[in-house]
Each structure stands twice: as C-alpha cells, then as structure tokens.
Amino acid sequence: MDALLRAFAAEPRLELRWATPQEYRNEDGSIVVSAGAVGFSAVPRIREVRDHYARD
C-alpha cells in the first residue's frame, strides 16, 4: 500500500483534487487494503498523499 500511494504522490499528471481509490483488492478478492493501513483516516486526495510523503 505504501509503495502504491508513493507512486500516486510522485505522478505529476495527477490533479491535487483527485482522490485515490477507496480500497485495493487482488484479483480473487481475498486481500483488501485501504489507505488506513498506512495512517490515513479517510480516502485521501492526491494533495494529502503528496503532503504525507513529503515529510519523509
């Protein structure tokens, strides 16, 4: 999840107001992960993801 959100943060073509997907699933649906797994309390917008990873 962390690597995926870092990729969103690094992509310059994504608009700041866009939100990331609510959750991510593997093909058979046996694994479901949300942005909460890496510390977000709700579905983050690209701006929030960039702010979060800029602190690293």
Side-chain angles (χ1 to χ4, degrees):
M1 186 69 203
D2 187 63
L4 183 60
L5 289 177
R6 284 180 186 275
F8 281 136
E11 175 52 60
R13 294 174 293 180
L14 296 178
E15 294 187 29
L16 296 177
R17 61 186 170 85
W18 289 357
T20 63
Q22 292 182 359
E23 63 184 23
Y24 305 84
R25 296 173 179 262
N26 65 340
E27 287 185 25
D28 69 4
S30 63
I31 300 172
V32 179
V33 180
S34 72
V38 290
F40 290 96
S41 60
V43 177
R45 299 202 177 279
I46 297 299
R47 176 186 309 274
E48 296 166 314
V49 172
R50 287 183 181 152
D51 290 347
H52 178 81
Y53 289 108
R55 294 183 223 143
D56 289 350

